[in-house]
Amino acid sequence: MDQILSLAAGTLPEFAPADVADAAGVAGFSHVGFTIAPDQWDAAALAATKSAIARHGLKVLDVEVVWIPEGGQVDSQHRMIIDAGLELGASNILVVSSEPDKDRTAEALHQLCEWAAPGQMRVALEFLMITAVQSMDDALEIIALTDHRAAALLIDTIHFHRAGHDPVDLDAISPDLLPYTQICDGNLHCIPDFEHYLEDAIDLRKAPGDGELRVDEIIKALPANIALSLEVRSKAYRDKYPDPGGRARSVRSATIQYLESKGIFIPKDP
């Protein structure tokens, strides 16, 4: 099966969106994602990012991260990220939540969906062990409570594994809820506390095939041809490849080699 492969912003966390777009382009990605920091996002950043996207003929898979705070109140800072996604033509908005109450989280997610609606963007809720939404079941319950067609579920392979899920668990989920997925590899085990889960997420990821996770099995259990966002947020890669283009090339090459060995093919000429 042929699938698109996008460079996730998390692979290049120290670089501005325009630099991420340039790295994605020179590395051969067809799609790219951006982290939008409201305090650094202005007309100049927008123009530079748009220019880099156009220069390389890229499409924007997602922007991140809208972090619903405790209390569940979303504000102008959150909307700025949504608006950036609209301006850049993103297909998805990545959302996480620190609010433990599912109803309040759902209310906030519904508001984000309303803001995203003019661009037909999906608003994808990600579950992970360092937030209040720590399992796929919890995320699905919140999405059902949200009751908005833009609401979606985001599976990240490392968080999927840390939550104790199995690829067969994906069989019962409607494909309509899964517009894209984040992929990486990692260590089989992680000490179950906040500090280690955080380190696992931001420093210890590996390129698919370099770790111990069942990455290909998860991908094959997801909808056919689902968009793949490559998030190799790794201190080892940051240290070895300080140049953004070099890092993007390396993770893409390693990932394509692994995916093709598993019968998953990425078009060579995006």
Side-chain angles (χ1 to χ4, degrees), residues 110-131:
H110 190 278
Q111 179 60 75
L112 297 172
C113 288
E114 286 292 293
W115 288 339
Q120 298 183 313
M121 291 189 296
R122 300 300 298 275
V123 180
L125 180 63
E126 181 178 14
F127 60 91
L128 57 160
M129 304 305 289
I130 57 173
T131 69

Side-chain angles (χ1 to χ4, degrees), residues 38 40-51 80 87:
Q40 298 173 24
W41 189 251
D42 55 20
L46 173 62
T49 305
K50 280 187 167 182
S51 178
M80 182 182 291
E87 292 169 323

Side-chain angles (χ1 to χ4, degrees), residues 34-267:
F34 302 118
T35 296
I36 303 298
D39 61 342
Q40 298 173 24
W41 189 251
D42 55 20
L46 173 62
T49 305
K50 280 187 167 182
S51 178
I53 291 168
R55 185 160 55 248
H56 298 287
L58 296 167
K59 295 181 181 178
V60 181
L61 182 63
D62 68 344
V63 299
E64 57 174 291
V65 54
V66 176
W67 199 298
I68 298 170
E70 286 191 54
Q73 296 297 312
V74 290
D75 57 24
S76 60
Q77 296 289 291
H78 301 97
R79 184 159 192 174
M80 182 182 291
I81 300 170
I82 300 279
D83 288 345
L86 293 171
E87 292 169 323
L88 295 170
S91 299
N92 304 281
I93 300 290
L94 190 159
V95 180
V96 299
S97 179
S98 292
E99 171 50 51
D101 184 87
K102 292 184 176 69
D103 289 312
R104 283 197 291 267
T105 297
E107 289 173 8
L109 195 63
H110 190 278
Q111 179 60 75
L112 297 172
C113 288
E114 286 292 293
W115 288 339
Q120 298 183 313
M121 291 189 296
R122 300 300 298 275
V123 180
L125 180 63
E126 181 178 14
F127 60 91
L128 57 160
M129 304 305 289
I130 57 173
T131 69
V133 184
Q134 297 186 350
S135 74
M136 186 167 65
D137 294 336
D138 286 345
L140 287 169
E141 183 179 349
I142 290 166
I143 290 165
L145 290 168
T146 300
D147 192 26
H148 197 292
R149 64 182 182 180
L153 174 69
L154 178 61
I155 302 293
D156 181 310
T157 52
I158 200 164
H159 300 315
F160 184 84
H161 178 76
R162 295 291 175 246
H165 295 302
D166 189 272
V168 72
D169 298 337
L170 296 166
D171 292 347
I173 300 176
S174 169
D176 292 340
L177 291 179
L178 296 163
Y180 78 116
T181 190
Q182 288 185 326
I183 64 169
C184 71
D185 213 328
N187 299 320
L188 187 61
H189 301 293
C190 178
I191 295 172
D193 61 35
F194 181 88
E195 289 75 16
H196 287 92
Y197 282 135
L198 179 61
E199 181 187 29
D200 188 54
I202 67 173
D203 283 341
L204 301 181
R205 293 175 186 251
K206 301 178 182 182
D210 289 344
E212 303 169 283
L213 307 185
R214 298 156 64 189
V215 179
D216 65 310
E217 293 181 38
I218 297 171
I219 294 171
K220 290 176 180 178
L222 289 164
N225 299 326
I226 190 170
L228 307 176
S229 177
L230 181 59
E231 185 177 19
V232 184
R233 190 159 184 160
S234 160
K235 184 179 185 302
Y237 268 99
R238 292 195 297 274
D239 290 346
K240 187 173 182 179
Y241 299 99
D243 172 71
R247 192 184 313 164
R249 285 192 192 94
S250 180
V251 296
R252 183 176 185 272
S253 176
T255 299
I256 288 177
Q257 182 177 357
Y258 167 78
L259 293 176
E260 290 186 349
S261 75
K262 301 297 183 180
I264 302 167
F265 296 96
I266 305 298

